[in-house]
């Protein structure tokens, strides 16, 4: 499942940047969502909505996918994929 989730998260990011008229840099697991991509916290909320639609999951309003759960800013792409996998495996209710 990991490769499929990773590919889908990557596509959501590509679509997100295309919609904003920006080109996305090459994606690797250690790509920092804030430092490398320049995402802002409010854009993380928009990204969360796109991820919800893609995976048919519900992401808690307290979870900003580009901010660590301990409050540190700058989640990596790999950490984002792991978070989404965890939500899917935990059986988050479908929308």
């Amino acid at each position: 499942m990991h490769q499929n989730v990773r590919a889908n998260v990557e596509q959501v990011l590509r679509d997100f940047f295309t919609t904003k008229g920006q080109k996305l840099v090459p994606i690797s697991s250690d790509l920092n969502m804030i430092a490398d991509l320049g995402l802002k916290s409010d854009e993380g909320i928009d990204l969360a909505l796109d991820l919800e639609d893609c995976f048919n999951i519900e992401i808690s309003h307290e979870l900003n996918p580009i901010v660590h759960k301990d409050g540190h800013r700058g989640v990596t792409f790999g950490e984002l994929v792991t978070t989404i996998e965890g939500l899917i495996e935990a059986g988050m209710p479908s929308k």
Side-chain angles (χ1 to χ4, degrees):
M1 176 167 75
H2 175 74
Q3 288 299 326
N4 193 32
V5 171
R6 179 184 167 83
N8 286 333
V9 171
E10 184 173 338
Q11 188 59 52
V12 168
L13 272 177
R14 290 191 184 289
D15 293 347
F16 185 80
F17 275 84
T18 299
T19 300
K20 293 176 55 170
Q22 297 176 319
K23 186 175 181 181
L24 187 59
V25 299
I27 295 177
S28 66
S29 291
D30 61 347
L31 180 79
N32 186 291
M33 304 296 284
I34 294 175
D36 297 328
L37 297 181
L39 288 174
K40 298 173 182 63
S41 291
D42 59 332
E43 292 174 315
I45 302 302
D46 293 334
L47 180 59
L49 295 172
D50 291 347
L51 291 165
E52 284 182 336
D53 290 343
C54 176
F55 293 101
N56 197 30
I57 58 173
E58 194 170 306
I59 298 175
S60 167
H61 295 291
E62 290 82 37
L63 173 67
N64 185 326
I66 65 169
V67 178
H68 283 285
K69 62 183 173 187
D70 62 6
H72 293 111
R73 299 174 59 82
V75 170
T76 65
F77 177 75
E79 291 167 331
L80 176 59
V81 169
T82 299
T83 298
I84 298 301
E85 287 176 331
L87 292 173
I88 292 169
E89 289 172 11
M92 292 300 296
S94 294
K95 293 176 81 178

